[in-house]
Amino acid sequence: MSRKHHHFKGAEVSCCVKYFLFGFNILFWLLGAAFLGIGLWAWAEKGVLSNLSSITDLGGFDPVWLFIVVGGVMFILGFAGCIGALRENTLLLKFFSVFLGLIFFLELTAGILAFVFKDWIKDQLNFFINNNVKAYRDDIDLQNLIDFAQEYWSCCGAHGPDDWNLNIYFNCTELNPSRERCGVPFSCCLKDPAEDVINTQCGYDVRLQVELERQRFIYTKGCVGQFEKWLQDNLIIVAGIFVGIALLQIFGICLAQNLVSDVKAVKANW
């Protein structure tokens, strides 16, 4: 009888693993719900939810997609991990670990391909930025994203200010009736520390001037080059973030698999 009791005690579900996995995932579940809610709210404000065909109206990248996709993935994973751990449901736990493992594999593959095909990635980044320059005035979220990028990296356009010729409001053609003709967005302008209020007209007509004159008023370096420089300067931090995310994913997979093994071991003794 004592042998049987000892065998039963040897096959227990670890409460530490169970509730740690539950707490670990409930945070991601709530964060995913928050991201998803922000994305859907932003779409509702744009009228996308009442007219889904408007998704195709934007020529560039809609930043709201980031919130919806990331939020949706986090919500699904968090739900599977939380309920799977709390109910000791091996199906949900396996789904959680497999899905997390697939994401890890895709991230690893993307990182290797990005290193191998650096020039191709650079061309795609150039295409991405120019495509969004064209759609700058089409969506307020995209506009804010471009303005943030140009201000943060002290840049203007993909390769320089003249890339703004791609935008119908900023191009220098004689038929362009826009007041912003031959200009750049205010986010390209050099900031005056003495100014408390942003001058949104600081980029007007600036591209009518010669290169040396432009340098007194706006950033003349492209965002592709500045982004590459920022990556090189912050390589350790960026690599540390990616390694940290990878370790968290591996840790989550190990916890889920450990819990699945415990549940199977207990069921085998029933």
Tab-separated table of all heavy atoms in Angstrom, residues 99-139:
chain	number	residue	atom	x	y	z
A	99	PHE	N	2.124	26.734	-31.296
A	99	PHE	CA	1.965	28.053	-31.900
A	99	PHE	C	3.144	28.950	-31.533
A	99	PHE	O	3.704	29.661	-32.376
A	99	PHE	CB	0.650	28.672	-31.434
A	99	PHE	CG	0.134	29.794	-32.297
A	99	PHE	CD1	-1.059	30.422	-31.982
A	99	PHE	CD2	0.831	30.234	-33.414
A	99	PHE	CE1	-1.551	31.458	-32.771
A	99	PHE	CE2	0.356	31.269	-34.205
A	99	PHE	CZ	-0.831	31.882	-33.875
A	100	LEU	N	3.545	28.913	-30.270
A	100	LEU	CA	4.683	29.715	-29.811
A	100	LEU	C	5.974	29.248	-30.474
A	100	LEU	O	6.829	30.055	-30.851
A	100	LEU	CB	4.797	29.628	-28.293
A	100	LEU	CG	5.605	30.726	-27.581
A	100	LEU	CD1	5.009	32.095	-27.866
A	100	LEU	CD2	5.628	30.470	-26.082
A	101	GLY	N	6.113	27.931	-30.624
A	101	GLY	CA	7.283	27.384	-31.312
A	101	GLY	C	7.326	27.784	-32.777
A	101	GLY	O	8.398	28.072	-33.323
A	102	LEU	N	6.152	27.831	-33.429
A	102	LEU	CA	6.077	28.250	-34.828
A	102	LEU	C	6.489	29.713	-34.978
A	102	LEU	O	7.245	30.061	-35.895
A	102	LEU	CB	4.651	28.044	-35.349
A	102	LEU	CG	4.387	28.456	-36.805
A	102	LEU	CD1	5.241	27.628	-37.758
A	102	LEU	CD2	2.904	28.309	-37.145
A	103	ILE	N	6.019	30.556	-34.060
A	103	ILE	CA	6.397	31.973	-34.085
A	103	ILE	C	7.903	32.123	-33.893
A	103	ILE	O	8.563	32.899	-34.593
A	103	ILE	CB	5.635	32.759	-32.998
A	103	ILE	CG1	4.144	32.816	-33.334
A	103	ILE	CG2	6.193	34.176	-32.860
A	103	ILE	CD1	3.299	33.429	-32.246
A	104	PHE	N	8.459	31.359	-32.952
A	104	PHE	CA	9.910	31.392	-32.707
A	104	PHE	C	10.679	30.970	-33.954
A	104	PHE	O	11.677	31.600	-34.327
A	104	PHE	CB	10.260	30.481	-31.529
A	104	PHE	CG	11.734	30.350	-31.276
A	104	PHE	CD1	12.438	31.372	-30.666
A	104	PHE	CD2	12.422	29.206	-31.666
A	104	PHE	CE1	13.801	31.261	-30.437
A	104	PHE	CE2	13.780	29.082	-31.449
A	104	PHE	CZ	14.474	30.115	-30.834
A	105	PHE	N	10.211	29.914	-34.620
A	105	PHE	CA	10.868	29.428	-35.834
A	105	PHE	C	10.801	30.479	-36.946
A	105	PHE	O	11.793	30.708	-37.660
A	105	PHE	CB	10.197	28.129	-36.299
A	105	PHE	CG	10.726	27.608	-37.605
A	105	PHE	CD1	11.969	26.989	-37.687
A	105	PHE	CD2	9.980	27.757	-38.771
A	105	PHE	CE1	12.459	26.524	-38.894
A	105	PHE	CE2	10.465	27.286	-39.983
A	105	PHE	CZ	11.708	26.673	-40.051
A	106	LEU	N	9.656	31.130	-37.093
A	106	LEU	CA	9.507	32.161	-38.118
A	106	LEU	C	10.408	33.356	-37.835
A	106	LEU	O	11.013	33.927	-38.749
A	106	LEU	CB	8.040	32.614	-38.204
A	106	LEU	CG	7.050	31.593	-38.767
A	106	LEU	CD1	5.617	32.133	-38.669
A	106	LEU	CD2	7.379	31.258	-40.220
A	107	GLU	N	10.516	33.736	-36.558
A	107	GLU	CA	11.403	34.838	-36.173
A	107	GLU	C	12.857	34.485	-36.466
A	107	GLU	O	13.615	35.320	-36.968
A	107	GLU	CB	11.224	35.152	-34.683
A	107	GLU	CG	9.905	35.798	-34.335
A	107	GLU	CD	9.694	35.896	-32.836
A	107	GLU	OE1	10.454	35.252	-32.076
A	107	GLU	OE2	8.755	36.595	-32.415
A	108	LEU	N	13.246	33.256	-36.138
A	108	LEU	CA	14.616	32.807	-36.389
A	108	LEU	C	14.913	32.779	-37.880
A	108	LEU	O	15.969	33.244	-38.326
A	108	LEU	CB	14.818	31.411	-35.783
A	108	LEU	CG	16.232	30.826	-35.846
A	108	LEU	CD1	17.202	31.683	-35.044
A	108	LEU	CD2	16.237	29.393	-35.318
A	109	THR	N	13.956	32.266	-38.666
A	109	THR	CA	14.114	32.219	-40.124
A	109	THR	C	14.227	33.623	-40.703
A	109	THR	O	15.076	33.888	-41.568
A	109	THR	CB	12.934	31.482	-40.773
A	109	THR	OG1	12.824	30.168	-40.210
A	109	THR	CG2	13.123	31.369	-42.271
A	110	ALA	N	13.369	34.529	-40.223
A	110	ALA	CA	13.390	35.912	-40.706
A	110	ALA	C	14.720	36.583	-40.384
A	110	ALA	O	15.274	37.325	-41.209
A	110	ALA	CB	12.230	36.706	-40.093
A	111	GLY	N	15.255	36.310	-39.180
A	111	GLY	CA	16.536	36.889	-38.797
A	111	GLY	C	17.680	36.394	-39.671
A	111	GLY	O	18.535	37.184	-40.092
A	112	ILE	N	17.688	35.103	-39.974
A	112	ILE	CA	18.741	34.531	-40.831
A	112	ILE	C	18.635	35.079	-42.244
A	112	ILE	O	19.643	35.475	-42.854
A	112	ILE	CB	18.642	32.985	-40.838
A	112	ILE	CG1	18.957	32.436	-39.438
A	112	ILE	CG2	19.591	32.384	-41.873
A	112	ILE	CD1	18.695	30.953	-39.285
A	113	LEU	N	17.403	35.125	-42.781
A	113	LEU	CA	17.201	35.636	-44.138
A	113	LEU	C	17.566	37.113	-44.231
A	113	LEU	O	18.123	37.566	-45.235
A	113	LEU	CB	15.747	35.424	-44.567
A	113	LEU	CG	15.316	33.976	-44.812
A	113	LEU	CD1	13.833	33.911	-45.134
A	113	LEU	CD2	16.132	33.346	-45.944
A	114	ALA	N	17.250	37.876	-43.171
A	114	ALA	CA	17.584	39.299	-43.163
A	114	ALA	C	19.098	39.501	-43.194
A	114	ALA	O	19.598	40.444	-43.820
A	114	ALA	CB	16.983	39.974	-41.932
A	115	PHE	N	19.835	38.624	-42.507
A	115	PHE	CA	21.297	38.726	-42.500
A	115	PHE	C	21.885	38.324	-43.852
A	115	PHE	O	22.815	38.963	-44.352
A	115	PHE	CB	21.867	37.830	-41.393
A	115	PHE	CG	23.367	37.855	-41.317
A	115	PHE	CD1	24.031	38.924	-40.739
A	115	PHE	CD2	24.117	36.800	-41.833
A	115	PHE	CE1	25.419	38.953	-40.678
A	115	PHE	CE2	25.503	36.818	-41.779
A	115	PHE	CZ	26.146	37.891	-41.197
A	116	VAL	N	21.319	37.278	-44.458
A	116	VAL	CA	21.835	36.775	-45.730
A	116	VAL	C	21.493	37.716	-46.882
A	116	VAL	O	22.322	37.986	-47.757
A	116	VAL	CB	21.289	35.355	-46.010
A	116	VAL	CG1	21.707	34.880	-47.404
A	116	VAL	CG2	21.788	34.379	-44.941
A	117	PHE	N	20.255	38.215	-46.879
A	117	PHE	CA	19.786	39.064	-47.982
A	117	PHE	C	19.675	40.526	-47.536
A	117	PHE	O	18.625	41.154	-47.665
A	117	PHE	CB	18.437	38.557	-48.494
A	117	PHE	CG	18.466	37.152	-49.024
A	117	PHE	CD1	17.981	36.106	-48.254
A	117	PHE	CD2	18.997	36.874	-50.273
A	117	PHE	CE1	18.002	34.803	-48.727
A	117	PHE	CE2	19.029	35.575	-50.761
A	117	PHE	CZ	18.540	34.535	-49.986
A	118	LYS	N	20.766	41.044	-46.994
A	118	LYS	CA	20.771	42.414	-46.472
A	118	LYS	C	20.439	43.445	-47.546
A	118	LYS	O	19.687	44.394	-47.300
A	118	LYS	CB	22.124	42.730	-45.835
A	118	LYS	CG	22.384	42.018	-44.538
A	118	LYS	CD	23.708	42.435	-43.926
A	118	LYS	CE	24.865	41.848	-44.705
A	118	LYS	NZ	26.174	42.083	-44.041
A	119	ASP	N	21.003	43.280	-48.719
A	119	ASP	CA	20.764	44.245	-49.801
A	119	ASP	C	19.308	44.227	-50.251
A	119	ASP	O	18.716	45.274	-50.527
A	119	ASP	CB	21.681	43.948	-50.998
A	119	ASP	CG	23.142	44.204	-50.671
A	119	ASP	OD1	23.399	44.996	-49.750
A	119	ASP	OD2	24.017	43.590	-51.322
A	120	TRP	N	18.731	43.027	-50.322
A	120	TRP	CA	17.324	42.914	-50.709
A	120	TRP	C	16.427	43.566	-49.663
A	120	TRP	O	15.465	44.261	-50.002
A	120	TRP	CB	16.953	41.440	-50.876
A	120	TRP	CG	15.533	41.235	-51.335
A	120	TRP	CD1	15.056	41.281	-52.606
A	120	TRP	CD2	14.401	40.959	-50.496
A	120	TRP	NE1	13.704	41.059	-52.623
A	120	TRP	CE2	13.267	40.847	-51.340
A	120	TRP	CE3	14.232	40.795	-49.117
A	120	TRP	CZ2	11.988	40.582	-50.852
A	120	TRP	CZ3	12.953	40.531	-48.635
A	120	TRP	CH2	11.857	40.420	-49.485
A	121	ILE	N	16.754	43.352	-48.383
A	121	ILE	CA	15.986	43.962	-47.301
A	121	ILE	C	16.065	45.487	-47.390
A	121	ILE	O	15.076	46.198	-47.190
A	121	ILE	CB	16.503	43.489	-45.924
A	121	ILE	CG1	16.247	41.991	-45.755
A	121	ILE	CG2	15.844	44.269	-44.805
A	121	ILE	CD1	14.803	41.597	-45.687
A	122	LYS	N	17.260	45.981	-47.719
A	122	LYS	CA	17.442	47.431	-47.857
A	122	LYS	C	16.584	47.983	-48.988
A	122	LYS	O	15.959	49.045	-48.851
A	122	LYS	CB	18.926	47.739	-48.110
A	122	LYS	CG	19.251	49.222	-48.139
A	122	LYS	CD	20.750	49.441	-48.303
A	122	LYS	CE	21.077	50.931	-48.340
A	122	LYS	NZ	22.535	51.157	-48.480
A	123	ASP	N	16.531	47.262	-50.107
A	123	ASP	CA	15.694	47.687	-51.239
A	123	ASP	C	14.220	47.675	-50.855
A	123	ASP	O	13.459	48.583	-51.234
A	123	ASP	CB	15.922	46.763	-52.443
A	123	ASP	CG	17.299	46.937	-53.062
A	123	ASP	OD1	17.915	48.002	-52.833
A	123	ASP	OD2	17.765	46.015	-53.755
A	124	GLN	N	13.810	46.652	-50.102
A	124	GLN	CA	12.409	46.561	-49.677
A	124	GLN	C	12.064	47.678	-48.696
A	124	GLN	O	10.950	48.217	-48.734
A	124	GLN	CB	12.140	45.195	-49.029
A	124	GLN	CG	12.206	44.021	-49.987
A	124	GLN	CD	11.247	44.174	-51.153
A	124	GLN	OE1	10.057	44.396	-50.981
A	124	GLN	NE2	11.783	44.063	-52.371
A	125	LEU	N	13.010	48.027	-47.828
A	125	LEU	CA	12.788	49.130	-46.886
A	125	LEU	C	12.648	50.442	-47.642
A	125	LEU	O	11.783	51.277	-47.318
A	125	LEU	CB	13.953	49.200	-45.895
A	125	LEU	CG	13.880	50.296	-44.824
A	125	LEU	CD1	12.660	50.106	-43.951
A	125	LEU	CD2	15.150	50.317	-43.975
A	126	ASN	N	13.484	50.619	-48.664
A	126	ASN	CA	13.416	51.807	-49.505
A	126	ASN	C	12.058	51.882	-50.209
A	126	ASN	O	11.404	52.938	-50.234
A	126	ASN	CB	14.544	51.770	-50.526
A	126	ASN	CG	14.517	52.961	-51.464
A	126	ASN	OD1	14.326	54.085	-51.025
A	126	ASN	ND2	14.690	52.717	-52.749
A	127	PHE	N	11.610	50.751	-50.763
A	127	PHE	CA	10.310	50.693	-51.435
A	127	PHE	C	9.179	50.974	-50.449
A	127	PHE	O	8.229	51.701	-50.756
A	127	PHE	CB	10.122	49.311	-52.071
A	127	PHE	CG	8.765	49.091	-52.669
A	127	PHE	CD1	8.435	49.629	-53.908
A	127	PHE	CD2	7.813	48.346	-51.985
A	127	PHE	CE1	7.171	49.430	-54.448
A	127	PHE	CE2	6.554	48.143	-52.518
A	127	PHE	CZ	6.233	48.682	-53.755
A	128	PHE	N	9.278	50.412	-49.245
A	128	PHE	CA	8.252	50.583	-48.217
A	128	PHE	C	8.110	52.054	-47.822
A	128	PHE	O	7.000	52.589	-47.736
A	128	PHE	CB	8.618	49.728	-46.997
A	128	PHE	CG	7.695	49.895	-45.823
A	128	PHE	CD1	6.473	49.265	-45.792
A	128	PHE	CD2	8.071	50.683	-44.739
A	128	PHE	CE1	5.614	49.417	-44.710
A	128	PHE	CE2	7.233	50.839	-43.654
A	128	PHE	CZ	5.998	50.204	-43.631
A	129	ILE	N	9.255	52.718	-47.587
A	129	ILE	CA	9.214	54.120	-47.177
A	129	ILE	C	8.650	55.002	-48.290
A	129	ILE	O	7.785	55.855	-48.052
A	129	ILE	CB	10.613	54.612	-46.751
A	129	ILE	CG1	11.071	53.872	-45.493
A	129	ILE	CG2	10.612	56.121	-46.510
A	129	ILE	CD1	12.484	54.201	-45.068
A	130	ASN	N	9.127	54.782	-49.523
A	130	ASN	CA	8.638	55.590	-50.647
A	130	ASN	C	7.147	55.382	-50.896
A	130	ASN	O	6.419	56.316	-51.230
A	130	ASN	CB	9.432	55.270	-51.915
A	130	ASN	CG	10.792	55.943	-51.917
A	130	ASN	OD1	10.992	56.971	-51.280
A	130	ASN	ND2	11.741	55.365	-52.631
A	131	ASN	N	6.690	54.146	-50.718
A	131	ASN	CA	5.272	53.857	-50.897
A	131	ASN	C	4.425	54.587	-49.869
A	131	ASN	O	3.321	55.055	-50.160
A	131	ASN	CB	5.038	52.342	-50.793
A	131	ASN	CG	3.703	51.920	-51.372
A	131	ASN	OD1	3.292	52.404	-52.432
A	131	ASN	ND2	3.018	51.039	-50.685
A	132	ASN	N	4.963	54.701	-48.653
A	132	ASN	CA	4.241	55.401	-47.598
A	132	ASN	C	4.365	56.911	-47.724
A	132	ASN	O	3.479	57.639	-47.270
A	132	ASN	CB	4.742	54.931	-46.228
A	132	ASN	CG	4.275	53.528	-45.900
A	132	ASN	OD1	3.091	53.269	-45.812
A	132	ASN	ND2	5.206	52.606	-45.747
A	133	VAL	N	5.457	57.381	-48.342
A	133	VAL	CA	5.579	58.806	-48.642
A	133	VAL	C	4.460	59.240	-49.583
A	133	VAL	O	3.856	60.300	-49.414
A	133	VAL	CB	6.970	59.112	-49.252
A	133	VAL	CG1	6.970	60.457	-49.965
A	133	VAL	CG2	8.042	59.096	-48.160
A	134	LYS	N	4.162	58.399	-50.554
A	134	LYS	CA	3.077	58.702	-51.502
A	134	LYS	C	1.736	58.841	-50.790
A	134	LYS	O	0.901	59.655	-51.165
A	134	LYS	CB	2.963	57.599	-52.560
A	134	LYS	CG	4.151	57.469	-53.487
A	134	LYS	CD	3.940	56.300	-54.447
A	134	LYS	CE	5.166	56.061	-55.309
A	134	LYS	NZ	4.985	54.867	-56.190
A	135	ALA	N	1.518	58.028	-49.755
A	135	ALA	CA	0.222	57.994	-49.061
A	135	ALA	C	0.225	58.823	-47.777
A	135	ALA	O	-0.655	58.654	-46.931
A	135	ALA	CB	-0.132	56.542	-48.744
A	136	TYR	N	1.184	59.737	-47.651
A	136	TYR	CA	1.384	60.488	-46.399
A	136	TYR	C	0.117	61.185	-45.917
A	136	TYR	O	-0.190	61.164	-44.730
A	136	TYR	CB	2.503	61.506	-46.616
A	136	TYR	CG	2.777	62.411	-45.432
A	136	TYR	CD1	3.430	61.938	-44.302
A	136	TYR	CD2	2.393	63.756	-45.454
A	136	TYR	CE1	3.704	62.762	-43.234
A	136	TYR	CE2	2.655	64.595	-44.388
A	136	TYR	CZ	3.313	64.099	-43.276
A	136	TYR	OH	3.564	64.923	-42.211
A	137	ARG	N	-0.626	61.804	-46.812
A	137	ARG	CA	-1.822	62.557	-46.414
A	137	ARG	C	-3.094	61.712	-46.405
A	137	ARG	O	-4.164	62.212	-46.086
A	137	ARG	CB	-2.036	63.742	-47.369
A	137	ARG	CG	-0.984	64.841	-47.275
A	137	ARG	CD	-1.042	65.558	-45.969
A	137	ARG	NE	-0.186	66.745	-45.965
A	137	ARG	CZ	0.302	67.283	-44.865
A	137	ARG	NH1	0.048	66.748	-43.696
A	137	ARG	NH2	1.065	68.365	-44.924
A	138	ASP	N	-2.986	60.426	-46.738
A	138	ASP	CA	-4.182	59.597	-46.872
A	138	ASP	C	-4.701	59.066	-45.548
A	138	ASP	O	-5.868	58.675	-45.453
A	138	ASP	CB	-3.904	58.415	-47.810
A	138	ASP	CG	-3.609	58.866	-49.225
A	138	ASP	OD1	-3.836	60.056	-49.518
A	138	ASP	OD2	-3.136	58.038	-50.029
A	139	ASP	N	-3.840	59.004	-44.540
A	139	ASP	CA	-4.242	58.416	-43.263
A	139	ASP	C	-3.484	59.099	-42.134
A	139	ASP	O	-2.255	59.215	-42.177
A	139	ASP	CB	-3.951	56.913	-43.268
A	139	ASP	CG	-4.426	56.232	-42.011
A	139	ASP	OD1	-3.668	56.190	-41.026
A	139	ASP	OD2	-5.566	55.741	-42.004
